[in-house]
Every structure is written in C-alpha cells, then in structure tokens.
Amino acid sequence: MRSQDYSQDAWVQRIPKRLLISFGNSSLDYLYHVCYAKKVGYFWIGITVLFLFLPYSRNVMPKTLDGQITMEKTPSYFVTNEAPKRIHSMAKDIKLIVVVRNPVTRAISDYTQTLSKKPEIPTFEVLAFKNRTLGLIDASWSAIRIGIYALHLENWLQYFPLSQILFVSGERLIVDPAGEMAKVQDFLGLKRVVTEKHFYFNKTKGFPCLKKPEDSSAPRCLGKSKGRTHPRIDPDVIHRLRKFYKPFNMMFYQMTGQDFQWEQEEGDK
C-alpha cells in the first residue's frame, strides 16, 4: 500500500467534488458542523463561493491531499437559477447533498432568523399573504418560495441525475443524526466513521451535539444563533400554508422517490 505524501507540494487547491446545497437553516448548518468537526473521510469544507466561475472557485478552496474530498457549502445554490448550469460546467460528475425540511417550519425558521436581525419587520402573518381575506399566499416572498422544492429541483434535474443528489431530511437529522450521517457517508463513498456514539442531544438547543466517545471533553454544539425559539404563529395561517404546500410536497416526493411525511407529521390528512 502506497504511503500518503504529506509534503508541501502534495497539498493542492482543488475544485469541490461535493457540494452542500440547501436553504440556510439550522439543519444544513448542523450537517456542515458534523462534517467539519469530524473531518469525515478526510474531507475539508471550503468557504462560500457565491458565483461559480472555475478559476475563482479553485483559488478560494483550501489545500487538500490526493484522496481527500474538497467539499463546499452554499445554502443559496439550490434556489439560484444559474447555479446548476455553472456547477455542471465546472464538474459534471459532482455529488450534491441537499438538506430539506417541512417547508412550513422552514419558512417560520427563515422569518425567525430575519426577525432577530430586523425586529421592525412586519409579522409573519402579514408577509405570508397577498390577501389574507381571500387566503392568497404570497409565493414571491423568499421565505415561502424557497419551500417550493419541486420547482427548484426541476432546474437541477436538467443537468444532474438523481443518482448524484442526496436528499437529507432535516427532521431526521435532529432525531436520528447517526442514521442520516450513515446515508451521507455511504453517498460519499466513505467508511462510516460517525456513528450514534458521537452524538449527545442538547435539550436546550433542540439539536444533537457532537462528542468524542474516547475522552471526556465537552460536546461541540451549534452556536448561539442556531436553534432560536420560533414566534407564535396564528394556527389558521399555518393551516393555510400546509394546504398551499401540499401539492408541491407531493410532486417533490414523486420526483425524489422519497416520502418525507411532512403531512403525516402535521396531522394534515
């Protein structure tokens, strides 16, 4: 077996072979947090590249060794129209990891994050509707539009087959992080290094934390900006949003071949 070359010349800036693309919520940040903390299969996370141009992308990537995986995370890729074409021209065999969660919960989470930075913004109920009396949802509002996953996936499937895309459940990532990480590691062709023994559930944050089973060091948890308490939303508004998203969710399940059971979770039969 050939020994690994760790000389200075062996460290090279490489185009990402894997991308984390999703919607800037805590679930995506948590998956990134796990991957980065554990250096799964010797991969490193590059910094965000907002516009993918080949020379620029390579220049901002960290240096890695032959056999390591360069991975990059940008939440907005999935909803950016130009992204699939640019990424395909950069690396058509790239593997894509997409974290999705119940779009109603995701919209409220998006609003909560914005509210923490801009407390003067209108209420969620006001922003969610074009006309609340008529029940017209404002799908142009980014918090709502992002959750129409089928619409965005159609764009990606013009350039990439489903076999190159892994959809990670944001809900399962919280309740069964080891199970979802097993899927991620299998998808990346890596040995299952991260297992259930590496997780500890933090009831205060509402997210599992990482721990090292071999020592007694403190678990690593998401930062203070993650896991915020959501504001109370009018139940009627939530019900209307569930009805709005349901046909898009059904389409998304059909396209991906996965049932994320968001309707069952909500009790919306």
Side-chain angles (χ1 to χ4, degrees):
M1 183 176 179
R2 189 181 67 176
S3 61
Q4 178 70 62
D5 180 7
Y6 291 99
S7 66
Q8 184 174 351
D9 292 339
W11 295 86
V12 179
Q13 288 177 301
R14 309 169 198 271
I15 291 298
K17 296 290 185 67
R18 310 292 185 264
L19 290 181
L20 279 170
I21 56 175
S22 192
F23 315 107
N25 57 43
S26 294
S27 298
L28 176 63
D29 288 320
Y30 180 70
L31 179 58
Y32 164 85
H33 177 72
V34 174
C35 292
Y36 186 81
K38 294 304 298 180
K39 301 291 192 300
V40 177
Y42 300 103
F43 70 74
W44 296 75
I45 307 297
I47 64 173
T48 296
V49 181
L50 294 178
F51 297 100
L52 280 168
F53 294 103
L54 190 58
Y56 177 70
S57 297
R58 187 189 301 274
N59 290 339
V60 299
M61 288 296 108
K63 291 184 177 181
T64 55
L65 295 169
D66 186 31
Q68 291 184 327
I69 299 173
T70 302
M71 196 165 184
E72 197 261 329
K73 165 205 160 188
T74 295
S76 61
Y77 282 159
F78 195 65
V79 297
T80 302
N81 290 334
E82 301 83 3
K85 182 177 180 180
R86 291 181 179 176
I87 293 171
H88 186 267
S89 67
M90 178 189 75
K92 64 181 180 181
D93 61 344
I94 201 166
K95 288 191 174 183
L96 308 166
I97 301 175
V98 184
V99 183
V100 292
R101 67 188 299 192
N102 185 316
V104 177
T105 307
R106 201 224 63 82
I108 297 171
S109 178
D110 191 322
Y111 174 79
T112 302
Q113 183 176 11
T114 303
L115 184 65
S116 69
K117 299 174 182 177
K118 300 179 180 179
E120 73 282 359
I121 63 172
T123 65
F124 181 91
E125 290 84 348
V126 169
L127 293 171
F129 289 93
K130 287 184 176 179
N131 187 313
R132 186 171 178 181
T133 302
L134 298 177
L136 297 178
I137 302 294
D138 188 357
S140 66
W141 183 32
S142 61
I144 300 293
R145 184 174 177 79
I146 288 172
I148 308 176
Y149 303 137
L151 175 69
H152 309 301
L153 182 57
E154 278 184 337
N155 192 24
W156 285 88
L157 291 180
Q158 294 181 48
Y159 297 92
F160 298 98
L162 274 176
S163 60
Q164 287 177 227
I165 309 175
L166 175 67
F167 296 93
V168 175
S169 166
E171 287 81 16
R172 296 299 303 169
L173 193 59
I174 295 172
V175 300
D176 181 23
E180 288 303 297
M181 283 306 302
K183 296 176 185 177
V184 171
Q185 291 169 99
D186 291 347
F187 179 69
L188 295 176
L190 302 172
K191 180 182 178 180
R192 292 190 179 182
V193 178
V194 180
T195 63
E196 56 275 353
K197 66 183 180 181
H198 291 100
F199 296 97
Y200 158 78
F201 190 79
N202 185 314
K203 294 181 179 180
T204 302
K205 296 294 294 183
F207 280 90
C209 298
L210 286 169
K211 64 179 181 179
K212 295 181 179 180
E214 65 274 10
D215 61 39
S216 58
S217 59
R220 293 184 57 174
C221 300
L222 289 174
K224 294 180 180 179
S225 64
K226 305 302 176 184
R228 296 185 183 93
T229 301
H230 290 176
R232 184 187 181 280
I233 306 299
D234 187 330
D236 178 64
V237 172
I238 293 177
H239 176 71
R240 289 172 184 263
L241 282 175
R242 289 174 180 171
K243 291 183 65 176
F244 169 80
Y245 279 121
K246 188 170 184 177
F248 297 113
N249 290 345
M250 296 297 105
M251 191 183 306
F252 184 64
Y253 299 166
Q254 185 175 19
M255 294 169 74
T256 61
Q258 294 180 237
D259 184 353
F260 291 92
Q261 301 183 335
W262 290 321
E263 289 68 34
Q264 180 178 337
E265 169 194 333
E266 296 165 343
D268 183 17
K269 307 297 185 183

